[in-house]
Amino acid sequence: MIVKQLKMNTLFYNIQNDSSFVKNDRQIILNNYNVIDFVFSQKSKILTPFTFFHQLVQIILYWNKYHIILSQIAGYHTLIPSLLSYLKLKKHIIILHGTDCNIIPEIGYGNLQKPVLKWFTKQSILKANLLLPVSHSLVDNKSEYYTENKISLGLRKNIVGFNTPYTIIHNAVEADKFRIITTDREPFTFITVAFGLEKKKNVLLKGVDLIIDLAKKNPEYTFTILGSNSIYNYKNDLKNVTIIPKVAHNKLIDYYNQNKYYLQLSISESFGLSLCEAMLCGCIPIVSNVGMMPEIVEDKGFILMSRDQVQINNLLHTICQDKKEIDQFLIRELILKKYSFPIRREKLLFAIHHLTSNKSP
């Protein structure tokens, strides 16, 4: 009954880019709502005022067609919708993903450590009707993986007076697109997916510096780093490291199935979509003790407790010498049970519908 009622309504979808999770959520709402899309994007920061004007024009132009604005990630583009919700003119939901909640000053990560962007992000979060973080760690978090004075995680720590209503709705993975093709894989093969590694901050953020160090110390292991054209300060001189530029999303399945282990050694990781994709393909996960990743992995993988090169090297040696195999199909089943699209679809539509109906989700 809810789906039939929703299809009669229209939703204003407010985004900055068309990342895979943005597309996935759009498909969920598109099946149940008429959707008005707005992409807050410009080629130069100088054009930002014009983008604000364009956004306001679109909001006014379609004013009578929608009741609710759904935004992905808090930032510049979410201020006007949140002000409208504060003035009780429209209802505004923000889906939170990480850069809008966490701060790593050492590498310049996080909206909330940039003075102007911090103000826009903070006001957006405080004045929205509802927040939908993809992980509980985006609200409350204490990381022991990285030096505490170099990192500040979670909205309660980073926004004074935070009291906006929120509902945790975990991300979801496309189980039909990511599957086990083969269980016959080379024993010492590791893969990670990371974008923007041409920049130093992304290398540190995703822990790729640790992976390069592992490759230097372990020439018998093979490492694939997928998603970037090059890696900052790396001369591409290791025979056991293969760098693959970003590929089409539907091609990732082939690379996951060529490797036995998936490495995710991030300093900050709100959820871990690539981790879940790899686990759906049967990769044994090795993750840092950050965000939701230990919860995702459970007992079907391995957790690096602190960002330490000696510790990760010892952990890999222990893993590779262990003759006890983890069932690849049990790894896949773990993700299917907790992070499937039907689960996210039901919870996301429930939250939107109840806010529209003036009920608390």
Side-chain angles (χ1 to χ4, degrees):
M1 284 297 295
I2 289 179
V3 171
K4 290 181 179 179
Q5 293 171 359
L6 291 179
K7 195 59 179 177
M8 298 169 60
N9 293 328
T10 299
L11 183 146
F12 192 100
Y13 195 40
N14 181 44
I15 64 174
Q16 290 177 294
N17 56 55
D18 61 348
S19 301
S20 58
F21 60 83
V22 172
K23 291 178 180 178
N24 292 338
D25 282 349
R26 185 184 186 280
Q27 191 58 50
I28 289 174
I29 60 177
L30 187 61
N31 289 336
N32 300 278
Y33 281 90
N34 298 310
V35 177
I36 299 168
D37 292 297
F38 183 80
V39 182
F40 194 101
S41 179
Q42 61 282 321
K43 294 181 179 179
S44 170
K45 290 183 179 180
I46 299 174
L47 299 175
T48 300
F50 297 97
T51 309
F52 272 114
F53 178 73
H54 184 208
Q55 182 190 45
L56 184 59
V57 167
Q58 295 299 303
I59 286 173
I60 295 172
L61 182 63
Y62 295 102
W63 188 266
N64 294 325
K65 294 184 179 295
Y66 65 93
H67 297 95
I68 195 162
I69 301 172
L70 177 65
S71 297
Q72 292 276 3
I73 306 177
Y76 290 119
H77 65 300
T78 52
L79 179 65
I80 292 177
S82 280
L83 288 176
L84 292 175
S85 69
Y86 180 73
L87 296 171
K88 302 186 185 303
L89 297 173
K90 294 291 181 184
K91 295 184 178 179
H92 185 212
I93 297 174
I94 308 176
I95 300 176
L96 303 175
H97 287 276
T99 187
D100 40 13
C101 305
N102 297 331
I103 301 174
I104 309 176
E106 187 180 19
I107 62 173
Y109 176 82
N111 293 359
L112 295 169
Q113 55 91 42
K114 301 171 184 176
V116 178
L117 183 53
K118 175 182 179 178
W119 186 85
F120 279 86
T121 302
K122 178 180 176 180
Q123 294 304 317
S124 296
I125 288 173
L126 291 177
K127 291 178 169 57
N129 293 103
L130 177 67
L131 306 173
L132 300 178
V134 299
S135 165
H136 61 81
S137 66
L138 297 181
V139 180
D140 293 291
N141 197 342
K142 180 175 175 58
S143 174
E144 297 180 358
Y145 176 75
Y146 199 47
T147 306
E148 188 69 22
N149 63 1
K150 293 183 179 181
I151 194 169
S152 184
L153 305 177
L155 291 177
R156 294 203 188 282
K157 184 182 292 185
N158 292 324
I159 296 183
V160 176
F162 169 73
N163 62 357
T164 308
Y166 69 90
T167 298
I168 307 298
I169 302 180
H170 296 144
N171 249 322
V173 196
E174 300 171 278
D176 56 333
K177 292 185 179 180
F178 296 95
R179 61 191 184 281
I180 297 172
I181 298 174
T182 176
T183 57
D184 185 19
R185 306 178 191 187
E186 292 297 322
F188 307 130
T189 51
F190 303 83
I191 186 171
T192 191
V193 174
F195 306 116
L197 297 179
E198 297 82 6
K199 296 180 180 180
K200 180 181 179 180
K201 70 174 185 178
N202 292 330
V203 172
L204 296 174
L205 177 66
K206 295 298 182 179
V208 174
D209 56 321
L210 295 182
I211 295 174
I212 295 297
D213 184 71
L214 284 171
K216 290 178 181 177
K217 293 177 179 176
N218 302 280
E220 70 277 22
Y221 298 165
T222 300
F223 298 87
T224 298
I225 301 173
L226 193 155
S228 301
N229 294 315
S230 61
I231 300 174
Y232 175 85
N233 206 30
Y234 170 60
K235 298 177 181 179
N236 202 21
D237 54 353
L238 297 174
K239 293 182 179 179
N240 60 336
V241 174
T242 301
I243 301 173
I244 300 173
K246 187 177 180 179
V247 299
H249 201 235
N250 60 359
K251 297 293 184 183
L252 287 171
I253 181 175
D254 297 324
Y255 291 99
Y256 290 141
N257 274 272
Q258 291 168 15
N259 291 271
K260 185 170 183 177
Y261 300 96
Y262 183 80
L263 283 165
Q264 190 78 56
L265 306 180
S266 308
I267 295 172
S268 175
E269 196 73 47
S270 59
F271 183 77
L273 270 177
S274 296
L275 167 64
C276 291
E277 291 170 355
M279 290 177 67
L280 282 174
C281 294
C283 293
I284 300 170
I286 304 170
V287 303
S288 52
N289 186 30
V290 167
M292 265 198 67
M293 292 196 293
E295 183 179 331
I296 291 171
V297 169
E298 290 189 3
D299 62 345
K300 299 299 185 292
F302 303 89
I303 300 168
L304 178 64
M305 298 307 296
S306 62
R307 183 180 157 82
D308 180 84
Q309 290 178 331
V310 173
Q311 189 177 133
I312 182 59
N313 193 55
N314 291 340
L315 178 61
L316 250 66
H317 284 184
T318 300
I319 292 169
C320 292
Q321 291 170 10
D322 189 355
K323 295 182 180 180
K324 183 181 178 181
E325 288 288 333
I326 300 177
D327 191 314
Q328 292 176 324
F329 290 96
L330 290 180
I331 295 173
R332 174 178 171 81
E333 187 63 29
L334 183 64
I335 302 303
L336 288 176
K337 283 198 300 187
K338 298 197 296 181
Y339 309 114
S340 67
F341 259 93
I343 295 173
R344 179 166 178 82
R345 176 183 179 277
E346 180 182 353
K347 291 184 177 181
L348 182 57
L349 293 179
F350 182 86
I352 294 171
H353 176 68
H354 277 252
L355 183 61
T356 306
S357 303
N358 288 315
K359 298 177 183 177
S360 299

